[in-house]
Amino acid sequence: HFISNFAEVVKIPEPSRTKTSINELARAVESLTRIECQCRNIKLELNLTPETDIVSVDGIQFEQVLFNIVKNAYEAIEKDGEIYIITSSTPLSISIENNGPSITEDVKQKLFTPFFSTKSTGQGIGLMFIREVLLNHKCKFDLSSDNGWTKFDIYF
């Protein structure tokens, strides 16, 4: 009952869609997170498709989603690592990869659960927000973690 009431309080507004370049979304998030990554000695690199792929999304919500994913990555790495923001035309997608600690299958199953966090100061609402925004945009997404790399893929 509490979680149902909480969900009503934090209900994410319907997306206000505009045509947006996926490369511009990637560049904006790189710009917002560059300094924090530099302070942590984390290489943050863009690998953008040469195509000018346009998607119809709520730019503010999507920027926040990508920011949260990159923030989770640099917090998991702590220092001395790598994060890549990759855009692709085929399939139309944005991926964020990092070489922070791997996510176990058990933790992966719980990550999108409200209030679940692996961080001592985490509130467990960041990934819930990400999931809700992506579902509202009818995007598919996937989180994988193996061979020392964690990857979050978003498909349009």
Side-chain angles (χ1 to χ4, degrees):
H1 183 68
F2 171 77
I3 290 175
S4 295
N5 286 341
F6 180 76
E8 283 303 311
V9 172
V10 295
K11 194 159 181 74
I12 296 162
E14 282 298 312
S16 177
R17 295 172 184 263
T18 56
K19 295 195 180 301
T20 308
S21 158
I22 62 171
N23 285 349
E24 286 308 310
L25 286 169
R27 284 187 191 99
V29 171
E30 187 271 341
S31 176
L32 289 168
T33 55
R34 180 185 321 124
I35 300 295
E36 184 64 31
C37 287
Q38 286 173 349
C39 291
R40 294 169 179 260
N41 195 39
I42 295 172
K43 177 174 133 184
L44 176 62
E45 194 169 292
L46 293 172
N47 183 353
L48 306 179
T49 178
E51 306 299 320
T52 308
D53 291 310
I54 304 295
V55 291
S56 179
V57 296
D58 185 312
I60 294 169
Q61 287 183 7
F62 237 84
E63 225 174 75
Q64 188 65 52
V65 161
L66 297 174
F67 175 83
N68 284 359
I69 295 169
V70 172
K71 182 177 184 277
N72 284 345
Y74 68 63
E75 287 177 347
I77 293 170
E78 293 183 11
K79 61 181 186 172
D80 303 323
E82 300 172 48
I83 300 172
Y84 296 94
I85 303 171
I86 303 157
T87 60
S88 175
S89 294
T90 324
L92 187 56
S93 62
I94 295 180
S95 301
I96 297 172
E97 299 180 5
N98 74 82
N99 66 342
S102 293
I103 300 170
T104 66
E105 198 58 40
D106 182 47
V107 168
K108 201 167 119 178
Q109 297 300 320
K110 299 174 189 169
L111 276 180
F112 295 94
T113 303
F115 313 116
F116 175 81
S117 180
T118 59
K119 303 173 202 167
S120 60
T121 58
Q123 298 171 354
I125 57 174
L127 284 168
M128 183 180 77
F129 170 81
I130 290 169
R131 183 194 70 210
E132 291 304 308
V133 169
L134 293 177
L135 290 175
N136 286 347
H137 281 82
K138 310 278 190 271
C139 292
K140 293 184 179 172
F141 57 95
D142 184 51
L143 176 66
S144 59
S145 189
D146 49 27
N147 298 323
W149 286 88
T150 298
K151 184 177 179 186
F152 198 113
D153 295 305
I154 301 169
Y155 302 98
F156 298 93

